[in-house]
Each structure stands twice: as structure tokens, then as C-alpha cells.
Amino acid sequence: MTSVDSQDLIIQSSSGKEDGLSQLSRSTENAKRIKSVQDKFVNSQSLVRDGRALVGEGILMKVCRKKPKQRAFFLFNDILVYGRVVMNGRKYTQQKIIPLCEIQISNVTDCDENPYSWLISSPKKSFVVRANSDRERQEWIAHLDRCIRHTREGRRHSENNTVAAHWVPDDKSDTCMHCRTTKFSAYNRKHHCRNCGYIVCDGCSKKRFLLPHLDSKSVRVCDACYSKLTTNSTNESRPTNQRDSSDSDGEENNAQYSPTPATFYQNVENF
């Protein structure tokens, strides 16, 4: 979970002209919506804050390393929040918060398994999400893009362009993507390089390297990335016996939920 300091909230323009997001943040309906979202999250960080506006919400499929998982997403004027859907949308768990100032969005090539998709990148985690239709995807991207730009316009320091690698889903390769010879099996596990996101075998990823945007400890990287990183850095890194972290959001049952159209409370033209 990422904590967001008050200094990360949008700084209003010195011109004194109030924009649509500022008006939305002060409305009674906005306060009720945020309180409703807050109450549905179990054991979560508070979402109520002065100047915060809930811009939109909806259910998206998050493409995880093992399989796509349904997640509830909430776009605010300063953060993106998502969580696991339980009780058919009446409750959410595993709350994650990403400051908009850290997010980059980009298109991905549509495929049969994941149509209407795009990539959300941030320093700690990057992942693909998919909408229910191309129209819904365009609405999400338009609102995300405008909120991100609106947030950065108010920040006093430059943005950090370093983002986490997007992990290749497990089902995309049965062979190590580094040596291209090792076959995976129940006894030969798949691993992910934290620098490039490729699926690699244990033999090709025994090294660890410090990637400060990901963790304060050294993380698993493949041999190719280790060579590049050590060449471009004076930091020392030695193999360790650390267990690698997982990109999974937790195990869950196979319950299916009906697609829920996204709802946006502010038109991008009025930002």
C-alpha cells in the first residue's frame, strides 16, 4: 500500500479560477461517494481528504502473472485506488493506492485473450488492465490522462520516469526467455526478472541487484540485466538466498461477476 502525503494533493492555480475538479471535490455528493467507497474497503487506508474528488469508478480485469483477476478501480483527482472484489461488489479487500503523479499509461496491442487493454506503469508495480469495450477503455484512458496531467501541473518538482517492469504472464512461455533451453515443470519453477519482467529459470536468475524504486533490498534479476546494471552502476550486488516476491494479488475462488460499466462523475472537458 502506498501512502500519499498531503503535499501530493493537487495545488490549486494561483489565478484563483476554480476548475471542475475543485468544484467536484467540494460537492456534497462527492463526499458521500468517497465515504461509500471507504466503507466498502476492509482494513484499509482512509480515502477521505480535503480537496480530494472521486472522478470515476468501475470494474476492470487486471492481468496478473497466473490469470486475469477482477478488480474494482477508483480514480480520484490525486490517486488511483484498486482492490479485490468480494461479496459481488458490496465489499473490497487488498486495497492498493498509487499516486497519479507516479503513473504512466500506454496502449498495448489487443489480443484475443485481452482485448480493450492498456498498461498502467508506476515505480512499484506495472500491470495491464482490460475494459469491457473499446468505448469504456477510451473513457478510462481519457480520464486517467487528464487527471495525471492535472496533478503534475500542480506539483513543484519534476516527475520520476522510473517505473517497474511489466511481468510477462506465466502462460506466455514454457521455456526460459533468457537461455531459451530450460523447460519449466512442477520441479523447475518459473521466475520473473524484476528489471525486464521476462520469465526466466532459476539458473539464469540467481543474481540480485538493488533497484531503489522497487525495494530497499536487492531483488532477483536475470543474468542479462545483471550484466547491464553492473556495467552502468558502481553499486555492488551479490547473489543471496532471498526468496523472490510474487506479483499475485492473492488466491481467490473462481466466482464470476457480471460486467459493470464504468461511471465517471466529471467530463474531461470540464477539468
Side-chain angles (χ1 to χ4, degrees):
M1 183 184 303
T2 305
S3 116
V4 181
D5 297 327
S6 58
Q7 66 181 12
D8 289 329
L9 288 172
I10 294 175
I11 303 169
Q12 291 190 13
S13 171
S14 59
S15 64
K17 182 179 179 181
E18 190 174 52
D19 55 49
L21 286 177
S22 298
Q23 293 177 7
L24 179 62
S25 69
R26 294 191 298 103
S27 71
T28 302
E29 286 302 313
N30 176 68
K32 290 179 179 179
R33 293 185 191 115
I34 295 179
K35 179 65 164 55
S36 176
V37 172
Q38 176 65 57
D39 291 344
K40 289 181 179 180
F41 268 104
V42 179
N43 299 326
S44 61
Q45 179 178 330
S46 175
L47 299 174
V48 178
R49 180 161 295 175
D50 289 343
R52 179 167 288 166
L54 177 59
V55 178
E57 60 181 281
I59 303 296
L60 298 170
M61 295 300 293
K62 179 175 178 285
V63 181
C64 300
R65 61 174 294 187
K66 294 186 181 296
K67 62 180 181 180
K69 297 176 182 179
Q70 195 164 42
R71 295 291 179 258
F73 279 79
F74 303 90
L75 175 61
F76 294 82
N77 58 337
D78 62 322
I79 56 176
L80 179 66
V81 179
Y82 66 95
R84 177 182 170 185
V85 182
V86 296
M87 295 178 62
N88 203 24
R90 294 190 294 274
K91 289 292 181 182
Y92 310 115
T93 61
Q94 301 175 8
Q95 183 194 69
K96 302 291 192 302
I97 301 178
I98 310 177
L100 290 185
C101 59
E102 297 180 355
I103 289 179
Q104 298 177 27
I105 55 174
S106 55
N107 290 316
V108 296
T109 303
D110 281 347
C111 60
D112 292 339
E113 310 99 76
N114 296 305
Y116 320 128
S117 302
W118 70 97
L119 176 65
I120 296 176
S121 302
S122 72
K124 294 294 184 184
K125 179 172 283 193
S126 300
F127 51 88
V128 170
V129 292
R130 76 167 185 246
N132 296 309
S133 67
D134 186 59
R135 178 178 179 180
E136 185 179 28
R137 170 174 58 178
Q138 296 305 323
E139 287 182 332
W140 269 106
I141 290 177
H143 283 82
L144 272 165
D145 179 69
R146 190 63 189 93
C147 284
I148 291 169
R149 286 191 287 113
H150 189 274
T151 303
R152 289 174 179 169
E153 286 169 1
R155 292 181 66 82
R156 295 191 179 96
H157 56 80
S158 60
E159 61 188 83
N160 183 359
N161 292 321
T162 304
V163 295
H166 170 234
W167 286 19
V168 177
D170 282 3
D171 62 358
K172 295 301 180 183
S173 182
D174 292 326
T175 305
C176 175
M177 300 175 75
H178 181 263
C179 66
R180 301 187 182 279
T181 57
T182 303
K183 297 285 186 180
F184 297 117
S185 66
Y187 302 99
N188 193 15
R189 292 181 54 216
K190 295 179 179 182
H191 299 281
H192 281 81
C193 172
R194 291 348 186 231
N195 189 62
C196 67
Y198 279 11
I199 302 171
V200 291
C201 65
D202 183 67
C204 291
S205 60
K206 289 185 178 296
K207 302 286 198 306
R208 299 292 188 276
F209 196 88
L210 180 63
L211 300 176
H213 63 285
L214 285 182
D215 203 316
S216 59
K217 298 180 180 179
S218 297
V219 294
R220 180 187 292 268
V221 294
C222 68
D223 291 349
C225 285
Y226 183 80
S227 296
K228 294 176 183 177
L229 291 166
T230 51
T231 299
N232 297 327
S233 174
T234 57
N235 293 333
E236 294 183 356
S237 179
R238 296 187 301 273
T240 70
N241 293 321
Q242 285 179 276
R243 295 182 64 87
D244 60 316
S245 60
S246 172
D247 188 46
S248 172
D249 282 338
E251 295 300 321
E252 56 193 70
N253 57 35
N254 294 321
Q256 298 295 316
Y257 305 98
S258 300
T260 304
T263 301
F264 295 98
Y265 306 111
Q266 184 74 34
N267 293 327
V268 290
E269 294 83 4
N270 297 331
F271 281 19

